[in-house]
Amino acid sequence: SLNDYFQFSVSTLAFENISISYDQVGSATGPKTFALQYSTDGGFTYVQFGSSYSVTSAPAWIPNTASGSALESFSYDLSAVTALNGIAAAFFRVVDLSPTTGGAINLGNVGTAGTSRIDNFLVNGSVATPEPSTLALAALGSGAWIFALRRKR
């Protein structure tokens, strides 16, 4: 139904330049219009990323088997959203924006037995580069440790 969602949470500690990809499919009477949202405050407030999109494929879904090319792939580069970098819990959700009437993949009404599925939800990022001040402190700490070992002899 309208505003139902799939939700995922991951840690991005030590990562930056976050990107997301996933595959999605729905039945002919399943919802058609979705949007990706993210939250950096523990899932209390969500922000939509990019525009809404439509799922257009409606193959027969066979549980426990690969649906192959029937799945539609979606990907997002969220590297500009620096608030997602290095946090303990980044929340992502794919929200159903389809109205009940006329919002199905087949352009008819969303059916009570209409389905939508997401698979292969991947969150990627690059290892964060330490700030120069952090590197300087690490080098200073290493130098003090070596001096202390040398002095004990």
Side-chain angles (χ1 to χ4, degrees):
S1 69
L2 186 61
N3 294 323
D4 280 345
Y5 54 86
F6 300 95
Q7 183 167 296
F8 307 88
S9 175
V10 298
S11 169
T12 62
L13 289 174
F15 291 96
E16 60 188 6
N17 300 317
I18 305 302
S19 64
I20 292 176
S21 63
Y22 56 90
D23 299 325
Q24 190 169 3
V25 69
S27 66
T29 59
K32 176 176 82 171
T33 308
F34 293 86
L36 175 70
Q37 298 178 343
Y38 68 88
S39 174
T40 60
D41 66 1
F44 296 104
T45 307
Y46 282 85
V47 176
Q48 182 170 320
F49 185 83
S51 301
S52 61
Y53 64 90
S54 294
V55 174
T56 58
S57 64
W61 182 273
I62 303 169
N64 302 318
T65 62
S67 294
S69 62
L71 294 171
E72 292 183 68
S73 297
F74 299 93
S75 60
Y76 298 89
D77 178 355
L78 290 100
S79 59
V81 185
T82 57
L84 290 169
N85 297 344
I87 60 176
F91 286 82
F92 303 98
R93 66 184 185 184
V94 177
V95 181
D96 170 15
L97 301 177
S98 301
T100 305
T101 305
I105 290 175
N106 67 1
L107 301 179
N109 297 336
V110 175
T112 55
T115 61
S116 182
R117 291 176 170 78
I118 289 183
D119 197 5
N120 304 320
F121 194 93
L122 299 172
V123 178
N124 294 298
S126 55
V127 175
T129 307
E131 294 290 325
S133 59
T134 304
L135 290 174
L137 285 175
L140 181 61
S142 296
W145 183 73
I146 290 169
F147 178 75
L149 283 178
R150 204 164 192 195
R151 188 160 176 121
K152 284 186 177 185
R153 292 185 182 175

